Amino acid sequence: MKKYIDRYGNIYIRENYRSGEKVCTRTIEKLGKVKDIMIERNWTEEQVIEWVNQYVQSLNEQKKSSSAKAWISLSSNERLPMGTGPDSQGTLNIGYLFLQSVLSSLGLNDILTKLAEKSKVQFDLNAIISYLIFDRIIHPSSKYGAWNRKHTYLQDWDFELHQIYRALDLVGKNMDFIQQELFKSTTSSLDRNTEVLYYDCTNFFFETEQGDPDREIVDENGQLITVSGDRQYGHSKENRPSPIVQMGLFVDKNGIPIRFNIFPGNRNEQISIDRQTFNEIHRKYKIGSFVYSADAGLGSDKLKQALKSYAFPSYYVVSQSLKKMGEDLQRRCLDEPPKTSKNKTKDQEEFKPATWRYFSYDKNTGQYIEKTILMKEIDKSEKNDRVYFQEIWHKTKSGETERLIVTYQPLYAHYQKQLRNEQIARAEKKLEAGKQSKSSYDGIKYYDETHTTTDGEIATKNIYTLNEDKVSNDARFDGFYCISTNLDDDVDLRTILEVNKRRWQIEAAFRVMKTDLKARPVYVHNHERIKAHFLICFLALLTVRILEATIGNAFTTPELFKTLREMNITKLENDQ
């Protein structure tokens, strides 16, 4: 069954059925007009559509679970009762009760209560923030949408819309304090693993076309300084032409969030983390030595140096860009002979191919055995998904000894080659159609652009030629991947690879924020409320991750969201 809305706004529930060899459609119910329901129930159009979708889903589930085959006729003149208040008949969500239990165990209630007492507010800060977290998980939407949906939960929530915004102002000003106190309480109640800290950045867009002006703040020394506004035009990771704000997020080894920070959308994400960040982690979060793991863009030499400058020296495992390396080191990583000089013969004689290692499973012993092989002996077919690796020790620009782990996988090499061929084909079609694209995903980077003909005359239109040298140079890196680390020799290689492999957890955290919690688009615009909005999303993510851990990760994240959102009860007449 599925919903159908005609051009007049009438809502029907329809079902496909087979009559002989023909597939026909019949109407099961008519629920009324969208506008009439909006007026009668004081709902928005989105709420009406959401209710219809839920109703259709429940009908389909009932049909699947029912063993009897029967038709029940309903009058098209009667409306399905929908709850608009705590005393009316309708469905009420109870999934938030499980989230309430998690928040209580995290100590958030005590933190917010102390903050409310200190600020002397006259509203229930704990109730408002808790509700916003529940609603972000159950029915993510705007703050106004959340307030307008209070009646859809079992509990009666007693606060007004203006109090929500006042609460946002308060928690926004105390964002860092709340995160620090929450980490302390969760560390004592949970077995948090901070041996490895994963860090990454993303950005979120706003429903506006205007960026924020600069604003004045008082720094730690009491001086008045000018800083950039939050919402700024920058490189959107979703390719949206809207102002963005950026977020830097830390998660622990198990993927549970630790802390986040917000910075303007026009800033380089590389400066979102520095010596002061690590100082706060050691001093305010009481985390000793740890392994810092991030991608290449967030692993500069300056940042690596900062990890060593404290009483608790920490380490790093970060991905390394092969294309940005110096030529000599790059050739060593790719197992290529050094660039030939005048003494070409001597260069070739001195070059010794690297010995690559790999793990092979021994059926007799039931263990993995390490073996060695030369690059020219490796099976380069796409069926070979085995990972080969070599280790290279070198000196960084700062003079520190660094360990590089270079991996090669034939299957990955074929994937990258196929991806590049598709990009070139896509670019060729666009260029033939007279279209241009600045996106690197369209393969335009492999083409040379000329503005003159072969005779030296100015061309009537730009001429694009595929540069085979660029293509072949890019192909050198197919299948290769590099990790840099300062961990000691006695740290097992497979342990280092496993640390890097688990970086997917922070990508998963951002995916949950954007997809399941719908953290964007953002509708608030005040500086403190922007911080508060993302704090709510952060706390919702933390709550979900703790709940997953509590039930032993028995369900996937989408399954958990679906279950919580479908935990509804129907309130009958006379409070039955």
Side-chain angles (χ1 to χ4, degrees):
M1 283 177 277
K2 57 186 179 182
K3 73 173 184 293
Y4 171 75
I5 303 177
D6 64 18
R7 60 179 179 173
Y8 302 107
N10 295 304
I11 307 174
Y12 301 91
I13 306 299
R14 289 184 171 182
E15 181 183 57
N16 292 334
Y17 69 99
R18 184 172 293 277
S19 177
E21 296 182 357
K22 291 180 62 178
V23 177
C24 305
T25 303
R26 58 190 167 202
T27 299
I28 305 301
E29 280 186 69
K30 179 181 178 182
L31 302 180
K33 285 189 175 183
V34 175
K35 289 185 178 179
D36 292 342
I37 299 175
M38 290 172 60
I39 295 172
E40 182 180 347
R41 304 299 179 183
N42 194 25
W43 281 5
T44 64
E45 184 176 354
E46 293 180 351
Q47 287 176 303
V48 175
I49 300 301
E50 182 180 0
W51 167 75
V52 174
N53 289 335
Q54 291 179 353
Y55 180 59
V56 171
Q57 185 177 359
S58 65
L59 290 178
N60 287 324
E61 290 176 352
Q62 290 174 17
K63 184 178 178 181
K64 289 180 182 179
S65 61
S66 175
S67 58
K69 295 182 179 180
W71 284 99
I72 300 177
S73 299
L74 298 176
S75 173
S76 60
N77 296 322
E78 294 186 8
R79 296 271 173 81
L80 192 72
M82 299 177 290
T84 58
D87 299 324
S88 62
Q89 183 177 359
T91 58
L92 302 172
N93 182 271
I94 60 171
Y96 77 94
L97 295 173
F98 295 91
L99 305 173
Q100 200 171 49
S101 174
V102 173
L103 282 186
S104 178
S105 66
L106 297 181
L108 181 63
N109 298 347
D110 296 335
I111 297 171
L112 294 176
T113 299
K114 291 178 182 178
L115 183 60
E117 292 175 353
K118 181 180 178 181
S119 305
K120 299 180 180 180
V121 295
Q122 300 300 315
F123 52 84
D124 193 339
L125 179 66
N126 180 42
I128 293 176
I129 299 303
S130 297
Y131 172 75
L132 291 178
I133 295 171
F134 301 151
D135 195 69
R136 178 59 52 179
I137 296 172
I138 305 297
H139 294 293
S141 64
S142 66
K143 307 301 177 289
Y144 176 77
W147 175 78
N148 206 33
R149 199 169 35 248
K150 292 188 299 179
H151 62 271
T152 62
Y153 295 89
L154 180 63
Q155 181 176 338
D156 293 335
W157 305 92
D158 185 20
F159 51 80
E160 298 301 324
L161 180 61
H162 69 91
Q163 293 175 330
I164 289 182
Y165 291 110
R166 289 181 62 193
L168 292 178
D169 291 334
L170 181 57
V171 297
K173 291 178 182 178
N174 294 274
M175 182 186 77
D176 294 334
F177 167 76
I178 293 173
Q179 290 185 84
Q180 293 163 20
E181 291 299 310
L182 195 60
F183 179 78
K184 292 177 185 177
S185 63
T186 55
T187 301
S188 60
S189 60
L190 300 171
D191 185 18
R192 299 199 70 162
N193 191 332
T194 56
E195 294 177 355
V196 181
L197 302 186
Y198 295 98
Y199 181 78
D200 203 355
C201 294
T202 191
N203 50 54
F204 301 85
F205 69 91
F206 286 73
E207 285 291 358
T208 182
E209 296 180 358
Q210 184 68 39
D212 289 333
D214 293 344
R215 55 191 180 87
E216 293 183 337
I217 63 170
V218 178
D219 64 9
E220 295 179 352
N221 300 319
Q223 300 294 320
L224 189 67
I225 60 173
T226 301
V227 297
S228 175
D230 296 315
R231 302 178 298 176
Q232 300 291 339
Y233 282 97
H235 176 65
S236 170
K237 297 195 175 184
E238 298 176 78
N239 298 316
R240 288 182 176 269
S242 304
I244 58 173
V245 68
Q246 303 195 75
M247 171 188 286
L249 175 67
F250 274 101
V251 302
D252 64 20
K253 189 175 181 180
N254 296 322
I256 299 176
I258 295 177
R259 58 159 285 180
F260 77 98
N261 65 308
I262 294 296
F263 55 100
N266 59 356
R267 283 183 58 185
N268 190 324
E269 64 181 26
Q270 292 184 7
I271 60 176
S272 67
I273 181 171
D274 52 21
R275 184 185 299 271
Q276 182 180 350
T277 307
F278 294 130
N279 183 33
E280 290 180 358
I281 289 175
H282 289 303
R283 183 168 52 88
K284 296 182 179 180
Y285 287 79
K286 308 300 181 183
I287 297 177
S289 297
F290 59 86
V291 176
Y292 168 78
S293 184
D295 63 20
L298 295 165
S300 64
D301 286 342
K302 185 177 180 180
L303 199 61
K304 293 173 182 177
Q305 283 292 105
L307 286 164
K308 300 178 58 180
S309 58
Y310 296 100
F312 301 98
S314 296
Y315 305 89
Y316 62 85
V317 175
V318 300
S319 59
Q320 187 78 31
S321 174
L322 287 166
K323 294 182 180 180
K324 294 182 180 179
M325 287 181 178
E327 187 174 10
D328 291 339
L329 181 59
Q330 185 184 87
R331 287 179 174 272
R332 286 179 63 191
C333 292
L334 299 179
D335 200 7
E336 296 177 346
K339 188 176 182 180
T340 56
S341 61
K342 294 181 180 179
N343 196 346
K344 182 177 180 180
T345 305
K346 184 178 179 182
D347 289 337
Q348 295 294 337
E349 288 177 353
E350 291 180 351
F351 173 68
K352 293 182 180 180
T355 300
W356 293 79
R357 297 146 61 188
Y358 66 95
F359 293 103
S360 178
Y361 183 72
D362 190 336
K363 294 181 179 179
N364 296 326
T365 61
Q367 296 179 342
Y368 283 93
I369 300 175
E370 186 177 305
K371 296 185 177 181
T372 60
I373 193 173
L374 296 177
M375 177 59 73
K376 63 181 181 180
E377 299 171 348
I378 295 176
D379 176 15
K380 305 294 197 307
S381 69
E382 60 181 323
K383 295 181 180 179
N384 186 6
D385 62 350
R386 179 171 286 160
V387 178
Y388 305 86
F389 57 90
Q390 65 159 322
E391 291 180 272
I392 296 175
W393 297 87
H394 78 112
K395 292 285 186 180
T396 64
K397 293 180 180 180
S398 58
E400 300 293 331
T401 301
E402 187 176 62
R403 180 183 180 186
L404 298 180
I405 302 171
V406 185
T407 65
Y408 173 75
Q409 185 182 38
L411 177 64
Y412 185 47
H414 280 270
Y415 166 74
Q416 289 183 305
K417 180 180 179 180
Q418 180 183 354
L419 194 64
R420 182 172 55 254
N421 290 339
E422 291 175 354
Q423 291 174 350
I424 294 173
R426 192 158 52 245
E428 185 177 357
K429 286 183 179 180
K430 286 194 173 185
L431 294 174
E432 287 178 353
K435 299 179 181 179
Q436 297 184 31
S437 173
K438 296 181 180 179
S439 173
S440 60
Y441 295 102
D442 287 334
I444 195 68
K445 61 183 178 181
Y446 297 111
Y447 284 82
D448 291 333
E449 181 181 1
T450 56
H451 305 276
T452 59
T453 64
T454 54
D455 299 328
E457 300 292 331
I458 298 177
T460 56
K461 63 179 182 179
N462 296 342
I463 301 172
Y464 294 89
T465 308
L466 182 64
N467 190 323
E468 298 289 351
D469 291 337
K470 290 182 179 180
V471 176
S472 59
N473 183 65
D474 228 26
R476 294 170 55 214
F477 302 93
D478 288 352
F480 288 94
Y481 183 77
C482 184
I483 302 168
S484 63
T485 182
N486 64 340
L487 285 168
D488 299 330
D489 297 354
D490 55 356
V491 178
D492 182 57
L493 179 64
R494 298 180 72 175
T495 301
I496 297 174
L497 293 175
E498 182 63 24
V499 167
N500 184 73
K501 184 179 179 181
R502 292 177 68 87
R503 278 201 302 114
W504 64 266
Q505 293 186 108
I506 196 161
E507 296 292 343
F510 286 142
R511 186 166 58 251
V512 170
M513 270 196 178
K514 292 186 175 184
T515 304
D516 298 301
L517 299 176
K518 297 181 180 177
R520 84 283 187 259
V522 188
Y523 299 99
V524 292
H525 56 86
N526 174 284
H527 173 66
E528 302 301 349
R529 292 175 186 177
I530 289 174
K531 292 196 299 182
H533 167 77
F534 288 108
L535 178 62
I536 297 297
C537 296
F538 172 84
L539 295 174
L541 174 64
L542 176 63
T543 303
V544 169
R545 287 291 186 246
I546 297 297
L547 181 57
E548 287 177 325
T550 303
I551 61 178
N553 295 300
F555 302 95
T556 64
T557 304
E559 287 175 336
L560 188 61
F561 275 102
K562 186 174 184 293
T563 302
L564 292 172
R565 291 168 180 174
E566 292 179 352
M567 280 187 174
N568 298 315
I569 61 173
T570 300
K571 191 172 183 180
L572 304 178
E573 295 180 0
N574 301 323
D575 292 334
Q576 293 180 350

